Amino acid sequence: MRKVPTTSAPMKAMDILGGFSAVIASNSCIEELEKSFAEYVGVKHCLAVNKGTAALYLAIMAMKKLSDKTEVILPAYTVPTLTLAMNMAGLKTKLCDISLETFNMEPESLKGHLSKKTLCVVPVHMFGFPCELKEIKKTCQDMKAFMLEDPAQAMGAELDGKKVGAYGDAALFSLCKGKVISTFSGGFAVTDNDELALLMRAERDKLPLNKKRFANPLLLFAFAFAMRPFIYGTMYPFIERFKSTEVHEHFFPEKYTEFQAAVGLKLLQRLDDVVEKRIRIGKAMYDALNGYDWIILPKIVPGSKPVFNHLPVVFKDASRFQKVMKSLWQRGIDTARMYMRPIHHIYDLGYGCNPDPFPNATYVAERLLTLPSHPYMTDADVEKIIDAFRKA
Ligand SMILES: Cc1ncc(COP(=O)(O)O)c(C=O)c1O
């Protein structure tokens, strides 16, 4: 009955009970968590909100106040709903292609899409793999555009010994369900820039209270319970109903909650351990699958330490895709397709699709399977995954 879920962020009953006792004692956990997380990343400021997308919104609203530029560049393959933050801020989303080597923003493609109107560029460290940040940062500096890192999937990853999120003018992290650690929902906007921090704080203070503040403890508890392999397998027909592939048209930036912050503080204490486990599991699969010529794994950028939020696999040979997916399921391993379409196929941003302006993004979206690499996995699970590819 055991099934390994595609994502899982470990949580103990004590973490949740700690959340309740902090709320009863009226501790100010949000401020403490913000301070601790800023220290963890190695920056001066952190602001917590209800979602990573809301953190993006705070950062671009602050940047907008310092410039009259109007465009934000995203990689064409990433979480599509990031564009909703731009819509809400009254900014235009522009795209650039990704690299088939790294699955992240392609620095050369970026150069072709930057203009005098570019307010900021958002390099996303997809799947926990740091992007080619030095090249991207240099391009942003040349064009006097802000660089707003998105390590939502890469909390704890590093480049040249420094945490990702500390390279940009600002960065956004997410604490939603599929991330390295999770409080069911939540996000952090971080920056080392005092001026941006002040403006971001002003935006955050205007946000309404979290509508789910009373439901959050229950949601968090259900999530922590359901993401354990034995429960996930036993209750799969029920849990499956809550899996959504729907693309949202709206998002609501709100404040974070004290309860989640209290749980977040406990999780932050264990973050290094979670990161280390993810790397051990992810690296074992990466090394074993690296030789197959019918798949592509993302290149590890020199000097970087990926955190393996997932292990993404792109199938050059599409005929083996379903076969591997099915065989993994039969071995008790769930997998995901992540975002099945690139952003320009989902929202009308003024790009046509014929010829496809961002072919690498489309190629990856159509052929990508993500393998789990979370701390609830055992060595036997890793071996089952490796074996499924060996026999495909
Ligand atoms: C790369 C990336 N950026 C941003 C976000 C947005 O985070 P949230 O869902 O907390 O708004 C996500 C979440 O899926 C993500 O994966």
Side-chain angles (χ1 to χ4, degrees), residues 51-53 78-79 82 124 150 152-153 172 174 176 179 186 339:
K51 287 173 78 58
T53 317
T78 187
V79 52
L82 293 186
V124 185
D150 178 346
Q153 300 184 7
L172 66 114
S174 168
C176 83
K179 301 302 181 276
Y339 316 114

